[in-house]
DNA sequence: ACCTGAACACCGTTCAAGT
DNA sequence: ACCTGAACACCGTTCAAGT
């Protein structure tokens, strides 16, 4: 809620007093204020429930007013995504050589949690490469940790792309688990039932792995992914003689 | 129950052909026919352009009729996704031990291409685990190849999840490149310009890697991903003493 | 059993008119 | 410069009524 600025002292040259008794002169909207409200609506209603009209209502304005600050709904969603990413604490880039691998793991897990808790906003970052300030700061942090691990330039660049993709896809999946209709357990139970009902002759591997396929929560899978990925990258470097500094 | 009104007296000025032969008794709709038409609309208009009303128009029926065959639009999109996956040729599961790694790579690349050429349909497979018949067949094929490579059960299960995620995310990205507004080159050029414009002091790693970050097309990145992933999985197995059969 | 047309309750976006 | 209200051109979904 924006609080009206208190008038400090009667300024002689002030052009202010226009006597607007009709309404107590709402302060103008701002991009920041709109984005903050957008995240609130997002959390309450999900990304599909975040409509220009509902957002305007939450801000006590008309839908058309939003177009002064955002070109369209997509533009607004992109801003909301970057706002959400801003909740993610990043490792200090100047910190001395602590455990880069552990830090990268924690950063990745936190990113999935943060993005995944905001009603499917992850969807706007899939299919495009986010370039908002917080997305860039995240990228910079990841590249910094990879560089400290001695990962080469091209692998690091591609790894950033892949990690971003993973974070958003995992976050989106997490979002769907958090929906009203069913928790993670029931989703997993349904999936398991689907696998268990398959004919073993036609789907021998799925049938054999029907338990294994649904084993492990998001954290466990994310850790496995990152470990495997980094092992693979370091193996390749070992082969080509590159060494961590 | 109200008695149906008797047939009204024929209107003499009626120019409308009363005979039913005017229209040759349209055959009833089918799920398969609707899905096929849906993919056509999808290819022409993209996933956001695939509306129940446009699809009905393409089928020369009313939008409401579609709800006899599909519970809602999401249900239809899921069916369209599986239909698209059906275009993907799968390796013969009975083939004798040929190059499993090469086959897996080709399967992955083809999957990205096939799913990516259909107007963003990949989006419906992100955030959920597809369980249509063709999605299951794809999963069975991937698990088969991994098993032939001697990959353990849990890594194989998680790898399937990860590969599915990658295919759909990469396909979605590919779809956005194929949109009318800009080809891949212009998207990449814009991204590169964004990186190049960043202050080097605040984003040293991104600035240093501004060229490297935009190097490599989808194929190259997919190959790198799979190679790295498999290297990592086989390394871990090597550590724990598991051996390919 | 299936299809139709109309209705309902919404959308994003634009724009003349106000302040 | 910003906001408002109304309008435009759409949506997904439901349902009584027809065949």
């Amino acid at each position: 809620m924006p609080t009206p600025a208190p008038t400090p002292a009667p300024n002689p040259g002030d052009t202010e007093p226009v006597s607007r008794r009709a309404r107590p002169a709402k302060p103008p909207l701002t991009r920041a204020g709109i984005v903050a409200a957008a995240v609130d609506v997002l959390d309450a209603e999900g990304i599909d429930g975040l409509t220009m009209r509902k957002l305007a209502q939450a801000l006590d304005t008309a839908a058309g007013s939003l177009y002064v600050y955002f070109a369209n709904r997509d533009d607004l969603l992109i801003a909301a995504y970057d706002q959400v990413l801003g909740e993610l604490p990043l490792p200090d880039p100047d910190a001395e050589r602590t455990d880069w691998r552990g830090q990268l793991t924690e950063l990745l897990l936190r990113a999935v949690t943060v993005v995944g808790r905001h009603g499917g906003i992850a969807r706007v970052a899939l299919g495009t490469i986010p370039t908002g300030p917080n997305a860039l700061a995240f990228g910079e942090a990841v590249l910094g940790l990879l560089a400290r691990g001695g990962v080469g330039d091209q692998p690091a660049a591609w790894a950033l792309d892949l990690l971003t993709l993973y974070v958003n896809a995992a976050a989106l999946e997490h979002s769907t688990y958090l929906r009203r209709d069913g928790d993670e357990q029931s989703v997993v139970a349904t999936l398991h039932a689907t696998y268990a009902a398959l004919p073993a002759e036609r789907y021998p591997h799925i049938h054999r792995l029907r338990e294994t396929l649904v084993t492990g929560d998001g954290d466990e899978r994310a850790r496995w992914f990152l470990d495997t990925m980094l092992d693979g990258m370091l193996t390749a470097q070992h082969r080509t003689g590159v060494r961590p500094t």
Side-chain angles (χ1 to χ4, degrees), chain A:
Chain A
M1 293 297 139
T3 42
T7 337
N11 190 330
D14 217 343
T15 56
E16 182 63 32
V18 192
S19 163
R20 236 179 239 155
R21 289 167 309 164
R23 250 203 197 176
K26 284 195 293 184
L29 298 165
T30 61
R31 270 184 75 99
I34 295 171
V35 170
V39 173
D40 287 344
V41 176
L42 182 65
D43 292 349
E45 314 265 1
I47 189 169
D48 291 326
L50 173 48
T51 67
M52 301 304 268
R53 290 162 120 106
K54 272 192 211 152
L55 176 56
Q57 202 176 359
L59 288 161
D60 192 27
T61 187
S65 308
L66 303 172
Y67 290 85
V68 175
Y69 303 90
F70 296 92
N72 49 43
R73 180 169 176 267
D74 258 13
D75 191 20
L76 175 69
L77 288 177
I78 288 169
Y81 175 82
D82 207 66
Q83 170 87 351
V84 162
L85 256 198
E87 292 177 17
L88 184 64
L90 299 179
D92 180 1
D94 296 328
E96 270 318 297
R97 33 183 51 268
T98 47
D99 172 28
W100 69 273
R101 200 164 161 147
Q103 281 196 36
L104 187 57
T105 306
E106 293 313 309
L107 180 58
L108 187 83
L109 297 187
R110 278 202 313 265
V112 173
T113 304
V114 166
V115 178
R117 78 160 73 112
H118 290 289
I121 190 69
R123 209 174 63 192
V124 322
L126 285 163
T128 51
I129 294 170
T131 52
N134 290 319
L136 290 172
F138 173 79
E140 182 68 21
V142 169
L143 291 177
L145 291 171
L146 291 172
R148 215 181 302 172
V151 172
D153 284 357
Q154 190 64 78
W158 286 344
L160 172 58
D161 198 29
L162 182 64
L163 293 177
T164 303
L165 177 158
Y166 183 87
V167 164
N168 291 309
L172 185 57
E173 199 158 348
H174 193 234
S175 297
T176 65
Y177 287 154
L178 295 181
R179 287 187 92 131
R180 317 177 220 311
D181 43 322
D183 49 40
E184 171 157 6
Q185 243 180 337
S186 81
V187 176
V188 168
T190 304
L191 187 62
H192 181 255
T194 303
Y195 291 147
L198 293 177
E201 317 83 52
R202 176 145 179 206
Y203 301 104
H205 291 103
I206 295 179
H207 184 263
R208 180 170 52 84
L209 300 175
R210 63 193 180 281
E211 306 286 347
T212 316
L213 283 163
V214 297
T215 298
D217 60 9
D219 260 35
E220 215 168 342
R221 286 165 185 255
R223 283 181 199 278
W224 172 82
F225 161 63
L226 194 55
D227 273 341
T228 307
M229 203 62 217
L230 291 175
D231 281 354
M233 293 196 305
L234 299 176
T235 300
Q237 282 189 164
H238 181 260
R239 270 208 227 92
T240 53
V242 181
R243 283 306 188 166
T245 48

